[in-house]
């Protein structure tokens, strides 16, 4: 690309559409988009004007603004950090009355535009949604998408209804940029090519930097770069892709995504036959081991800590994946030789054992979670445009898989909203929402900016979209269907089939009514129609346990897609993906994200007026009712969950219903969770009905073996997945900074009184080890079994450690005897961090950040569950579930991953979400867009 071409004004992004051609030159200059001569370069697709779309209403009434059809409320949004200090506050925010406080906090802190405190800053959800909807409506009008003004208004009202009522949401870049930038970057997902030229390598760094700046993520396959053992044309040896990855990783770490504090999102891919594949496979694991050594030497183990252990090693800002063919997996199964091939000549270079390389992949994933696997041949079997080029790469979370130098704008539907009064899935409402969102996303394509001419051109030529959904886990549980069961999988498959089928059907209608199919369709007509047929055939393989009306609807839709696309083509080469739905999931008040199951049955929720409330998941009473339990038994089960933080052991619960309530994480006082293969089988059930892939990391327990990870990667291939990533819980040694609640309040006693223990008392002695330092704790008990004193024995009598521990134990004993609640002490001293720290050998507390951390977490597990909350009626329990907003401290109720990082915005401990993390306190998505 020439230095004096399109990109003098890259800061604002690049866009070339048919609309730009008609813009006045001064308007183009004001928008700081592209030079006039770049319009010719981009070969902008011109679509002949068609009759436009007829757009019938489903959710709205003509003449009634959807904003006026709901009740509004004024609130303050305040987000606190782990110390209870305010990190964001905005008052007098106008929101729908049914939006939770967390949705209010997330939208106001992440999406409202303007400087905080400035007069022009957005302060109402009406302004936010109006800004986006009005802009898209004008784009639709300018692009002649609709037959009449009434159809245009119907589209605008239907879109506004879906967004304000939390039926759907666009990806974050839309909320960041649409209606703000003249030509906004609206896509979350980018795939960027890299050629074996220094100029191209440096251009990749530049392009990714601009993608990160505007809040999006990118992925690249670096297999085109010659290996470190091949020669340069001018003499000498090449650096190889892993060397350049170090530079790319550093740029990603410096550039904050969307101008925020979250790290940029990046994916790096290398083919399994590249000569540097072994170095690539082990690259991140070796850096992880360096981080361990630094932690052992006293460096801070936290993420985002300047100068800390993880800040000092490479490859912490990217996901790594190996791109492997069927031939590779077949060689693994047969224990055959695997040859790498020189990039420059294609000649064989290394003779490897396929199983040896595969084992290295699993070993590295066991250590640090990378590399994942991308199944090359499966992906291209479902490729609609293979006559253009193969699919070689993906975005950072692996849900968008398509041509190099392409982009995808995402949106998601909230599945819990599409239920009728009887709790059945409302197919027609769902189809209507799909049509509206598909149309809106199609309109975005021609009006968004793109960071390079190639990406702009491919966006116009192929017009890929990424519609998806969230809240699947909650929907299945509310219906009484286990996530890890054929019934749950078939239900999910039918929904996904309906979604993608209706999206492609609408794409065909747009092609017919708005000027033809995507420009690359003619070149790829045969494979495109063939893939539509593959989707249609897959419907017949949906398990019979799914309601018949849903399967019939999916079959009818797909038959129509095959017929219509054969006659009219498709406007979009891709239509759907399943993304993580991190921040936008909070905006829609979803209990679960993407294709994920629920995290836990018990959550802590922030209240509108402040404070925190522990509640049983709102879907549990619905599920119990669906399963036929009466009010008395339901009340008993909910109280058991509220008391024990688990449904296991609840009186009256049938054993065969336990799988309905299995969640992603094991509860603190239970043993059940969804097995890794349960996650993979769910992915396999929905994958045949997606244009793209699925963003989901399969979590495996800490004690999983390398061989088990190998088997999961093999099963992903056999079950037809396009990509798979494995994460072993606790594999990283980073530790949370704090899990204390914001705004803690203690009650002072008016007249302190010491309640001594009797001279003869019962006690419990527990042996512990923290990082190799052994000791004993003895807890003296009152007659009712509650702790009244502690003794700690460590090191030799008379040593400094022994003296300090004696004094500390005495102070805690006095605190207990003067009435300081044990719960307060446990929350105060748990998760304090200082040396010595390390592994403990206790499966319930595998890693302690200090001796105090271990002792008080053990005390809490051993004694706090003897303090049941006040008894509540069924109505009170269910009502409480409706009052909260969203999760603040899930690690109180379940065994959260011990290596989850703190949120860089507010400091709360984050929760893993697909291949990234999200903060349940402020809504930040960390590592994805």
């Amino acid at each position: 690309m020439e230095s004096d071409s399109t990109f003098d004004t890259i800061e604002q992004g690049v866009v070339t559409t048919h609309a730009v051609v008609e813009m006045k030159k001064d308007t183009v200059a004001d928008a700081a988009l592209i030079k006039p001569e770049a319009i010719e370069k981009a070969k902008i697709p011109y679509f002949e004007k068609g009759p436009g779309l007829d757009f019938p209403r489903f959710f709205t009434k003509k003449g009634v603004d959807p904003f006026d059809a709901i009740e509004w409320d004024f609130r303050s949004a305040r987000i606190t950090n782990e110390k209870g200090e305010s990190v964001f506050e905005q008052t007098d925010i106008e929101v729908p009355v049914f939006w939770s406080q967390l949705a209010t906090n997330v939208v106001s802190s992440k999406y409202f535009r303007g400087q905080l405190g400035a007069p022009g800053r957005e302060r109402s959800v009406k302004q936010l949604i109006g800004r986006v909807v009005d802009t898209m409506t004008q784009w639709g009008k300018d692009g002649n998408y609709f037959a009449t003004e009434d159809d245009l208004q119907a589209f605008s009202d239907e879109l506004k209804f879906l967004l304000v009522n939390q039926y759907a949401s666009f990806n974050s870049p839309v909320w960041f940029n649409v209606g703000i930038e003249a030509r906004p970057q609206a896509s979350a997902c980018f795939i960027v090519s890299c050629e074996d030229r220094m100029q191209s390598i440096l251009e990749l760094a530049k392009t990714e930097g601009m993608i990160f700046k505007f809040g999006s993520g990118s992925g690249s396959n670096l297999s085109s770069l010659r290996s470190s053992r091949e020669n340069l044309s001018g003499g000498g040896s090449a650096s190889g892709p892993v060397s350049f990855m170090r530079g790319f990783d550093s740029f990603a770490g410096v550039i904050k995504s969307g101008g925020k504090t979250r790290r940029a999102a990046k994916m790096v891919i290398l083919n399994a036959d590249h000569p540097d594949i072994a170095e690539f496979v082990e690259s991140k694991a070796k850096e992880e081991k360096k981080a361990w050594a630094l932690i052992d030497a006293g460096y801070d183990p936290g993420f985002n800590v300047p100068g800390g252990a993880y800040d000092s090693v490479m490859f912490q800002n990217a996901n790594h994946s190996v791109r492997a063919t069927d031939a590779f997996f077949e060689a693994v199964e047969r224990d055959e030789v695997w040859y790498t091939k020189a990039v420059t000549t294609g000649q064989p270079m290394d003779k490897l054992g396929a199983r040896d390389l595969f084992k290295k992949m699993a070993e590295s994933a066991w250590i640090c979670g990378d590399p994942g696997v991308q199944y090359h041949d499966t992906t291209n079997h479902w490729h609609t445009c293979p006559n253009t080029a193969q699919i070689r790469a993906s975005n950072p979370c692996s849900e968008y898989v398509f041509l190099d130098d392409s982009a995808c704008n995402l949106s998601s539907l909230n599945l819990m909203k599409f239920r009728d009064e009887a709790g059945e899935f409302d197919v027609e409402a769902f189809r209507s929402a799909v049509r509206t969102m598909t149309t809106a996303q199609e309109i975005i394509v021609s009006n968004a900016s793109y960071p390079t001419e190639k990406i702009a051109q491919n966006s116009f030529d192929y017009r890929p979209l990424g519609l998806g959904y969230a809240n699947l886990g909650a929907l299945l549980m509310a219906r009484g269907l286990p996530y890890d069961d054929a019934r749950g999988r078939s239900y999910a498959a039918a929904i996904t089939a309906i979604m993608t089928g209706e999206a492609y059907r609408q794409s065909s209608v747009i092609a017919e009514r708005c000027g033809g199919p995507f420009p690359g369709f003619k070149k790829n007509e045969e494979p495109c129609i063939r893939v539509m047929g593959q989707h249609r055939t897959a419907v017949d393989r949906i398990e019979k346990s799914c309601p018949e009306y849903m399967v019939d609807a999916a079959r009818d839709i797909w038959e129509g897609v095959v017929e219509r696309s054969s006659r009219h083509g498709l406007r979009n080469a891709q239509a759907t993906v399943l993304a993580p739905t991190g921040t936008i999931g909070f905006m829609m008040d979803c209990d679960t994200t993407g294709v994920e199951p629920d995290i836990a049955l018990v959550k802590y929720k922030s209240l509108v007026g402040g404070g925190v409330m522990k509640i049983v998941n709102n879907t549990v009473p619905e599920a119990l009712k669906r399963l036929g339990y009466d009010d008395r038994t339901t009340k008993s089960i909910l109280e058991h969950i509220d008391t024990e933080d688990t449904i296991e052991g609840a009186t009256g619960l049938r054993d065969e219903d336990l799988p309905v309530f299995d969640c992603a994480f094991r509860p603190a006082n239970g043993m059940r969770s969804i097995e890794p293969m349960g996650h993979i089988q769910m992915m396999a059930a929905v994958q045949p009905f997606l244009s793209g892939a699925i963003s989901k990391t399969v979590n495996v327990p800490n004690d999983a073996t390398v061989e088990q990870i190998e088997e999961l990667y093999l099963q992903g291939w056999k079950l037809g997945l396009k990509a798979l990533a494995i994460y072993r819980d606790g594999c990283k040694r980073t530790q949370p900074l704090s899990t204390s609640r914001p705004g803690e309040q203690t009650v002072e006693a008016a007249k302190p009184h010491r309640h001594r223990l009797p001279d003869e008392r019962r006690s419990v002695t527990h042996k512990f080890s923290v990082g190799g330092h052994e000791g004993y704790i003895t807890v003296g008990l009152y007659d009712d079994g509650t702790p009244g004193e502690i003794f700690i024995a460590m090191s030799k009598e008379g040593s400094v450690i022994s003296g300090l521990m004696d004094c500390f134990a005495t102070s805690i004993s006095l605190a207990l005897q003067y009435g300081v609640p044990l719960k307060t002490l446990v929350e105060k001293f748990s998760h304090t961090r200082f040396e010595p720290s390390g592994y403990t050998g206790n499966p319930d507390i595998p890693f302690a950040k200090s001796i105090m951390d271990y002792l008080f977490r053990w005390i809490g597990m051993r004694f706090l569950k003897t303090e049941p909350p006040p008894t509540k009626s069924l109505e009170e329990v269910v009502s409480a579930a409706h009052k909260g907003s969203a999760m603040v401290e899930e690690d109180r109720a379940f065994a959260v991953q011990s290596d989850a990082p703190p949120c860089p915005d507010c400091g709360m401990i984050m929760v893993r979400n697909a291949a990234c993390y999200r903060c349940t306190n402020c809504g930040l998505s960390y590592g994805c867009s």
Side-chain angles (χ1 to χ4, degrees):
M1 195 172 295
E2 299 173 1
S3 60
D4 62 346
S5 65
T6 306
F7 303 99
D8 291 352
T9 52
I10 190 79
E11 183 74 12
Q12 291 296 325
V14 176
V15 63
T16 52
T17 71
H18 63 281
V20 176
V21 179
E22 299 172 359
M23 294 174 67
K24 295 180 181 179
K25 290 185 179 181
D26 58 345
T27 306
V28 176
D30 290 341
L33 296 174
I34 60 172
K35 292 183 177 180
E37 59 266 26
I39 294 174
E40 276 303 312
K41 283 186 180 180
K43 298 181 182 177
I44 303 156
Y46 289 83
F47 294 103
E48 294 181 5
K49 182 179 178 181
L53 297 172
D54 299 323
F55 213 87
R57 296 174 182 268
F58 187 91
F59 297 101
T60 63
K61 294 181 179 179
K62 185 176 180 179
V64 179
D65 190 316
F67 286 162
D68 296 336
I70 61 175
E71 186 178 352
W72 293 81
D73 187 19
F74 284 91
R75 298 178 191 165
S76 294
R78 183 171 182 263
I79 298 173
T80 57
N81 63 17
E82 78 280 7
K83 298 177 182 178
E85 302 165 341
S86 178
V87 295
F88 173 84
E89 187 167 8
Q90 185 175 354
T91 59
D92 296 323
I93 296 169
E94 188 179 27
V95 296
V97 70
F98 52 85
W99 278 35
S100 71
Q101 185 61 33
L102 183 63
T104 303
N105 292 347
V106 168
V107 165
S108 58
S109 64
K110 308 300 180 191
Y111 297 148
F112 280 5
R113 308 314 290 166
Q115 289 294 324
L116 193 62
R121 179 178 170 83
E122 291 175 338
R123 52 171 291 278
S124 172
V125 170
K126 291 178 181 177
Q127 291 174 295
L128 171 67
I129 294 177
R131 160 166 62 85
V132 170
V133 172
D134 291 349
T135 301
M136 291 185 182
T137 301
Q138 185 62 48
W139 288 344
K141 181 178 182 179
D142 293 344
N144 298 309
Y145 275 90
F146 299 95
T148 66
E149 284 290 329
D150 284 347
D151 292 311
L152 175 68
Q153 189 60 50
F155 162 76
S156 180
D157 289 348
E158 291 286 299
L159 181 59
K160 185 183 292 185
F161 175 94
L162 295 176
L163 298 176
V164 76
N165 287 284
Q166 300 177 306
Y167 281 65
S169 182
F170 294 104
N171 56 208
S172 290
V174 166
W175 301 113
F176 290 153
N177 305 322
V178 169
I180 302 296
E181 305 290 338
R183 293 283 173 175
Q185 180 168 300
S187 298
C189 305
F190 290 82
I191 300 172
V192 186
S193 67
C194 185
E195 300 173 9
D196 192 31
R197 299 180 295 111
M198 183 58 68
Q199 185 179 12
S200 177
I201 293 168
L202 296 178
E203 283 175 353
L204 173 59
K206 178 182 178 181
T207 300
E208 286 191 330
M210 298 312 300
I211 289 171
F212 301 152
K213 174 180 171 60
F214 287 99
S216 305
S218 73
S220 298
N221 188 325
L222 300 183
S223 300
S224 57
L225 302 187
R226 72 189 68 189
S227 72
S228 58
R229 291 179 292 113
E230 294 178 69
N231 294 327
L232 297 172
S233 58
S237 298
S239 298
V242 177
S243 293
F244 287 112
M245 283 163 51
R246 298 177 186 275
F248 295 147
D249 181 74
S250 295
F251 272 116
V254 170
I255 300 170
K256 302 303 181 183
S257 185
K260 305 294 183 181
T261 56
R262 69 182 182 187
R263 294 183 303 166
K266 178 175 172 59
M267 169 68 80
V268 182
I269 301 153
L270 204 68
N271 294 348
D273 62 357
H274 191 281
D276 287 345
I277 188 62
E279 181 187 4
F280 175 82
V281 164
E282 296 178 321
S283 61
K284 202 165 183 177
K286 287 180 178 179
E287 295 297 310
E288 181 70 26
K289 291 178 181 179
K290 290 180 186 177
W292 297 352
L294 291 171
I295 292 169
D296 291 341
Y299 284 79
D300 195 306
F303 276 128
N304 255 18
V305 177
Y310 284 97
D311 186 56
S312 305
V313 299
M314 302 305 300
F315 308 134
Q316 301 306 301
N317 301 294
N319 298 321
H320 292 184
S321 283
V322 172
R323 194 142 188 106
T325 60
D326 289 348
F328 173 75
F329 286 103
E330 289 164 359
V332 169
E333 286 200 307
R334 294 195 289 258
D335 196 14
E336 293 178 344
V337 171
W338 180 252
Y339 290 95
T340 64
K341 298 177 182 178
V343 176
T344 51
T345 66
Q347 295 301 309
M349 284 194 68
D350 299 304
K351 182 179 178 182
L352 307 175
R355 282 190 184 175
D356 293 337
L357 177 59
F358 189 56
K359 190 174 188 66
K360 285 182 186 292
M361 292 163 57
E363 287 173 342
S364 293
W366 187 91
I367 291 171
C368 65
D370 280 289
V373 177
Q374 295 189 357
Y375 304 102
H376 178 79
D377 290 326
T378 302
T379 300
N380 283 281
H381 176 68
W382 293 89
H383 186 14
T384 56
C385 300
N387 294 339
T388 299
Q390 286 191 328
I391 294 175
R392 304 173 62 249
S394 76
N395 73 315
C397 293
S398 294
E399 76 269 21
Y400 175 57
V401 289
F402 196 51
L403 300 171
D404 280 0
D405 296 309
S406 65
C408 183
N409 66 77
L410 309 178
S411 71
S412 290
L413 297 160
N414 180 357
L415 294 182
M416 285 290 280
K417 290 288 186 176
F418 298 97
R419 299 182 298 162
D420 61 22
E421 294 180 357
E424 299 297 330
F425 193 75
D426 190 336
V427 170
E428 292 308 312
F430 188 60
R431 291 180 66 180
S432 177
V434 169
R435 290 193 293 271
T436 299
M437 297 306 292
T438 298
T439 304
Q441 289 178 265
E442 153 61 22
I443 290 172
I444 289 173
V445 172
S446 289
N447 293 277
S449 70
Y450 303 94
T452 71
E453 290 180 11
K454 288 181 180 179
I455 295 174
Q457 191 63 61
N458 281 335
S459 295
F460 305 142
D461 285 351
Y462 299 96
R463 316 184 72 78
L465 311 179
L467 178 64
Y469 56 66
N471 242 353
L472 174 67
L475 179 70
L476 295 179
M477 186 181 291
R479 188 175 168 77
L481 297 175
Y483 185 91
D484 186 10
D485 183 273
R487 292 169 292 167
R489 290 191 287 269
S490 64
Y491 202 80
I495 289 173
T496 313
I498 293 168
M499 177 182 70
T500 301
E502 191 63 28
Y504 270 128
R505 183 187 178 281
Q506 182 67 5
S507 180
S508 181
V509 171
I510 296 173
E512 177 191 4
R513 306 280 297 181
C514 299
F518 62 90
F521 178 79
K522 185 175 182 180
K523 182 177 182 179
N524 293 278
E525 183 172 1
E526 186 279 327
C528 197
I529 303 304
R530 172 180 56 78
V531 170
M532 297 303 108
Q534 289 173 192
H535 288 301
R536 162 63 185 86
T537 300
V539 174
D540 292 331
R541 295 195 292 269
I542 296 177
E543 291 281 345
K544 302 302 180 185
S545 57
C546 182
E548 188 175 353
Y549 78 94
M550 294 175 66
V551 178
D552 288 344
R555 186 180 296 110
D556 290 344
I557 292 168
W558 275 109
E559 286 177 353
V561 170
V562 172
E563 189 273 332
R564 287 192 60 88
S565 60
S566 298
R567 285 193 292 123
H568 305 292
L570 297 168
R571 181 72 156 195
N572 313 95
Q574 288 202 352
T576 59
V577 302
L578 281 182
T581 60
T583 305
I584 66 171
F586 290 122
M587 185 178 183
M588 295 187 290
D589 277 320
C590 294
D591 286 322
T592 64
T593 60
V595 74
E596 302 287 353
D598 207 347
I599 293 175
L601 297 185
V602 176
K603 301 181 179 72
Y604 286 83
K605 303 223 171 188
S606 57
L607 303 179
V608 173
V612 176
M613 178 177 65
K614 172 183 174 181
I615 70 164
V616 176
N617 193 319
N618 188 44
T619 54
V620 175
E622 285 192 61
L624 292 170
K625 181 178 180 180
R626 184 86 189 191
L627 293 168
Y629 290 90
D630 59 31
D631 288 352
R632 181 178 178 181
T633 306
T634 297
K635 173 177 174 289
S636 173
I637 293 171
L638 293 176
E639 288 178 344
H640 176 89
I641 299 172
D642 193 36
T643 302
E644 301 296 333
D645 287 341
T646 179
I647 200 170
E648 296 170 51
T651 302
L653 181 68
R654 298 183 291 267
D655 288 344
E656 60 268 26
D657 291 335
L658 272 171
V660 172
F661 304 98
D662 286 346
C663 296
F665 295 158
R666 176 178 60 83
N669 297 319
M671 298 299 295
R672 296 181 62 94
S673 64
I674 295 170
E675 294 295 322
M677 272 306 300
H679 295 275
I680 291 177
Q681 288 175 327
M682 176 59 80
M683 295 172 72
V686 302
Q687 182 61 84
F689 306 108
L690 292 168
S691 302
I694 304 163
S695 176
K696 179 172 176 41
T697 295
V698 176
N699 290 304
V700 300
N702 182 264
D703 59 0
T705 65
V706 171
E707 291 72 22
Q708 288 172 324
I709 292 176
E710 287 182 276
E711 181 60 24
L712 292 174
Y713 280 150
L714 278 173
Q715 288 300 319
W717 169 59
K718 293 179 179 178
L719 291 172
L721 302 187
K722 294 181 180 178
L724 180 61
I726 303 293
Y727 189 80
R728 184 173 65 89
D729 184 22
C731 64
K732 288 184 176 290
R733 293 189 182 177
T734 183
Q735 292 300 311
L737 295 178
S738 170
T739 55
S740 60
R741 298 183 203 165
E744 285 184 11
Q745 297 181 355
T746 57
V747 180
E748 296 182 1
K751 295 181 179 181
H753 172 73
R754 185 178 181 184
H755 180 48
R756 298 177 183 270
L757 277 76
D759 291 339
E760 186 172 311
R761 76 291 300 267
R762 293 182 295 119
S763 66
V764 175
T765 300
H766 173 70
K767 181 180 178 180
F768 64 90
S769 174
V770 176
H773 298 265
E774 294 187 346
Y776 297 83
I777 179 172
T778 299
V779 182
L781 305 176
Y782 289 109
D783 291 340
D784 64 356
T786 58
E789 67 182 5
I790 66 170
F791 300 93
I792 305 172
M794 286 192 72
S795 193
K796 294 181 179 180
E797 188 68 24
S799 67
V800 173
I801 293 293
S802 178
L804 288 173
M805 286 299 178
D806 281 346
C807 292
F808 181 77
T810 299
S811 66
I812 295 299
S813 299
L814 288 170
L816 290 170
Q817 292 172 24
Y818 273 105
V820 176
L822 178 63
K823 183 177 181 181
T824 300
L825 294 171
V826 168
E827 292 181 352
K828 192 68 177 176
F829 290 99
S830 294
H831 303 289
T832 52
R833 182 171 61 208
F834 53 85
E835 296 300 326
S837 64
Y839 293 99
T840 68
N842 184 337
D844 294 321
I845 312 173
F847 191 100
K849 294 179 285 298
S850 65
I851 293 170
M852 297 310 161
D853 174 39
Y854 179 88
L855 293 178
F856 281 89
R857 286 164 68 188
W858 176 80
I859 290 171
M861 292 174 59
R862 179 66 174 77
F863 296 104
L864 281 183
K865 63 182 181 180
T866 61
E867 301 174 355
T871 302
K872 303 173 186 175
S873 68
L874 173 62
E875 291 75 17
E876 289 173 325
V877 172
V878 175
S879 175
H882 288 278
K883 291 180 181 178
S885 61
M887 298 168 279
V888 173
E889 283 191 289
E890 292 163 340
D891 57 326
R892 298 287 185 189
F894 60 90
V896 71
Q897 289 134 319
S898 59
D899 57 353
C903 174
D905 271 9
C906 71
M908 292 296 187
I909 304 308
M910 304 184 83
V911 176
R912 195 163 183 88
N913 184 48
C916 33
Y917 292 93
R918 68 174 190 158
C919 178
T920 56
N921 179 50
C922 72
L924 180 76
S925 288
Y926 187 62
C928 66
S929 297

